[in-house]
Amino acid sequence: MSLLCLWLGAFSYSHAQIPNEKPIRIIVPFSNGGPTDVVARVLGPKLSSILKRPVVIENKVGATGGIGALFVAKSIPDGDTLLLGTSSIMAASPSLTLNLPYDPVTDFSPISMVATIENILVVNPSLPVKNIKELVAYAKENPGKLTYASSGIGSTYHLGAELFSSQTGIQWVHVPYKGAAPAIQDVLAGHVQVMFDNVSSAIPNIKAERLKPLGVASLKRYPTLPDVPTIAEQGVPGYETTIWLGLFAPANTPQPIITQLNKAVREAVNSSEYKDKLEFLAMQPVVSSPQELARLLKADTAKWAKVVKDAGIKPE
């Protein structure tokens, strides 16, 4: 019995609480234990309680998230199979991947955002700068000598650095790594000077004074680091590289199902339990309308396409 059958039985949201033994599957396109997986496993039980039906989390890993995304894109549009998509696989991948087997816009129906993961620009304490303006000045005085680490070519951290470069006019050298962990280790050791990192992993090193924070990469200051200004307010207007996570259904999922799921997601994300767990993990709980998520996807896709083109990054 699909979610569509539930809706057809009644028009009110309250009537959608009829028990249903068939589970909703939330497909996580990344490995178990990662940030996307953690959010799914916090969200799943809340949705299950609200919708009165099982919610199962399935990890379908591979092709930088493409295998999971394609699986959902080809699923029956009945609300029973959903994708927990990220800004990387939905907005950046179209510009970074040759012959992407799915279209993030036409193959999916947006439901709602569920979380954001904020990034922060950090430097090795030995670098003689205290803020973004000083970093830009230092880079311009030493063109091509400043190095920045990333978790790999085309990663959020790489694209964020290239966006920063284009908006400030600086020249620096990209040092890609196979993952964020080895990248930040070399920044800590002073082999590389700068990196965009996510706030959750950066905070322990910031508090231990092993890294110096220069600016938050979102449009609002991060609650746990209220004294660290955003990059935007330090002379780079509009700069933002926030990672977002959103729930998507296959394209052509009936609107009543999308509406019902959106209501359930709103209730789940606004619950104190969900908020507390995400904030403990240094993530931000966020909800949106399907239309707002669609607009965000369109805007970010255009933004990253320009960054990839301007930086000369070749799709693979």
Side-chain angles (χ1 to χ4, degrees):
M1 187 177 187
S2 71
L3 191 57
L4 176 59
C5 294
L6 284 179
W7 180 82
L8 290 175
F11 286 90
S12 70
Y13 177 59
S14 62
H15 283 83
Q17 310 307 304
I18 301 171
N20 187 341
E21 293 182 357
K22 185 178 179 181
I24 292 174
R25 294 191 296 172
I26 296 180
I27 304 302
V28 175
F30 302 110
S31 60
N32 188 290
T36 309
D37 179 72
V38 170
V39 171
R41 294 181 190 279
V42 175
L43 179 66
K46 295 302 298 181
L47 286 179
S48 178
S49 175
I50 294 164
L51 293 170
K52 304 299 183 186
R53 61 183 296 192
V55 174
V56 176
I57 310 302
E58 292 186 18
N59 300 84
K60 292 190 178 295
V61 185
T64 320
I67 288 178
L70 181 62
F71 178 84
V72 176
K74 292 184 174 296
S75 295
I76 298 171
D78 59 2
D80 288 349
T81 305
L82 309 176
L83 173 71
L84 187 54
T86 66
S87 49
S88 61
I89 69 169
M90 301 302 282
S93 284
S95 299
L96 294 167
T97 307
L98 288 173
N99 302 315
L100 191 69
Y102 62 93
D103 187 311
V105 175
T106 61
D107 288 343
F108 298 91
S109 297
I111 297 170
S112 174
M113 291 179 65
V114 298
T116 59
I117 303 173
E118 313 300 345
N119 293 326
I120 187 169
L121 193 157
V122 293
V123 301
N124 184 280
S126 64
L127 194 66
V129 298
K130 299 188 295 293
N131 53 50
I132 294 298
K133 289 183 178 180
E134 290 184 6
L135 176 70
V136 172
Y138 180 90
K140 289 183 176 180
E141 291 169 4
N142 301 275
K145 294 183 179 180
L146 194 64
T147 57
Y148 74 88
S150 84
S151 55
I153 294 174
S155 66
T156 299
Y157 307 130
H158 176 206
L159 297 182
E162 291 296 339
L163 177 62
F164 182 86
S165 175
S166 69
Q167 290 188 234
T168 58
I170 68 170
Q171 297 178 10
W172 51 5
V173 179
H174 180 210
V175 183
Y177 291 80
K178 293 182 178 180
I184 201 64
Q185 286 303 315
D186 267 12
V187 176
L188 290 168
H191 302 312
V192 186
Q193 298 153 304
V194 185
M195 182 175 171
F196 282 88
D197 195 10
N198 70 71
V199 171
S200 60
S201 66
I203 283 178
N205 288 316
I206 291 171
K207 290 184 175 179
E209 299 184 348
R210 293 190 294 264
L211 289 175
K212 189 190 308 181
L214 298 192
V216 177
S218 57
L219 296 180
K220 295 181 180 180
R221 295 194 183 196
Y222 194 75
T224 310
L225 300 169
D227 295 330
V228 180
T230 67
I231 293 173
E233 66 184 284
Q234 295 185 75
V236 192
Y239 182 87
E240 182 182 18
T241 56
T242 297
I243 300 170
W244 51 260
L245 286 73
L247 206 58
F248 294 82
N252 300 316
T253 298
Q255 188 58 47
I257 293 178
I258 298 298
T259 299
Q260 184 187 42
L261 288 170
N262 180 269
K263 289 180 179 178
V265 170
R266 283 182 177 276
E267 185 175 338
V269 173
N270 286 326
S271 68
S272 58
E273 182 181 1
Y274 183 88
K275 289 181 177 180
D276 290 345
K277 287 183 178 179
L278 258 65
E279 288 171 4
F280 176 78
L281 296 166
M283 301 178 189
Q284 299 293 300
V286 181
V287 292
S288 71
S289 68
Q291 295 78 17
E292 288 169 336
L293 179 52
R295 287 194 292 269
L296 176 62
L297 173 59
K298 182 178 179 179
D300 269 13
T301 299
K303 178 171 76 173
W304 295 129
K306 185 178 187 305
V307 170
V308 168
K309 180 179 178 181
D310 291 349
I313 302 171
K314 301 300 181 183
E316 298 181 354

